[in-house]
Amino acid sequence: MHSSFMPPRQVKIGDAAAFAGTTPRAVRHYHEIGLLPEPERGGDDRRRYGYEDMIRLLWIRKMADAGIALDDIRDAFTTAGADSGDGVAGILERLEDTLAEQEAELRRQRTAVQRMRTEGSRMGLLSDFVTERLKSLPEGSLRQADLDTLLVTERIFGPLGAAVQATRFVVLATHPALREESDRIDAAEEALDDSVAVDDPRVAQVAVERHAFENALHAVIEESGADEADDALFDAWDALHPATADDGSGRREAGSMSAFEAIGKMPYDFSPARLRCMELAAELSAQDSPAAQNTP
């Protein structure tokens, strides 16, 4: 016995969209961008979709669900023809390359998140090259401000610069007397606010104290052999990042700003008095340099 059911020769947009798993609004959008030819309208001025229209609509939905952009789908149909798979194959090849790149980026992001959880959120924000320099320290011996400073330094001077600066915090973390003196001088510098004149005697006095402290810190770094560890850092960095013809050093990250550009974009709320104090301390350090001492 034959069934009396007869499939429709054409369907309205709502039925077409439902069959393809989309919405009438999406189908209309396909028409607007030239992805799906608009079929003729019936006597009631409504679109009617036939078998070929549905095949095209199903292809569009399958390709869109795979992540292919609608513009790419349209180009594939336009350049290769609706009945050819050549254009689609090329689109799929490019899509696969894009997905592979996205997958690699997701792995990188997941590795970064896992590292932050393992190292601690602050420590994990720094690169491996920097955190490796700090791993010998007891847990909690580094302050948040120390890690913040390293984060800024890494942005300006890269991982190598931050790893070298980490030596300073390693010594401060293991020498309580030096840390106490460092805190005292930091507080004295912070006290040189906008209420202090540039020629106030305190400015020069704090500069002398800063200079003396930096000399004492450097002496401890030399005595502890940390400066030799810094030399090893340069060798390790050069091994990981061989010099290229472009930069001559291999120490600058691709796409990064120059140190001068980065410093100019990092705000510090220093008063004129504090800036003058820093200048005086730098001048005292320059006077200690061998070149300055040998100048008649």
Side-chain angles (χ1 to χ4, degrees), residues 109-149:
Q109 291 175 344
R110 185 179 182 186
T111 299
V113 171
Q114 290 174 335
R115 184 170 172 276
M116 280 187 251
R117 293 183 63 188
T118 300
E119 301 289 350
S121 58
R122 290 279 177 173
M123 183 84 79
L125 292 174
L126 300 169
S127 67
D128 289 333
F129 198 75
V130 181
T131 55
E132 189 66 30
R133 187 76 180 87
L134 304 170
K135 283 185 176 178
S136 62
L137 292 175
E139 184 176 355
S141 59
L142 282 174
R143 299 177 179 178
Q144 177 176 315
D146 299 339
L147 297 173
D148 291 343
T149 298

Side-chain angles (χ1 to χ4, degrees), residues 232-253:
L233 282 175
F234 282 94
D235 293 338
W237 182 263
D238 288 339
L240 291 171
H241 305 81
T244 64
D246 294 333
D247 62 19
S249 68
R251 290 173 182 166
R252 184 175 171 184
E253 296 180 24

Side-chain angles (χ1 to χ4, degrees), residues 5 16 18 34 51 59 63 76 86 100 114 125 132 146 183 186 192 199 203 220 226 234 274-275:
F5 172 76
Y51 181 81
W59 269 108
M63 295 170 73
D86 294 341
Q114 290 174 335
L125 292 174
E132 189 66 30
D146 299 339
D183 291 343
D186 288 345
L192 299 176
D199 57 355
V203 174
V220 173
F234 282 94
R274 186 166 181 178
L275 288 173

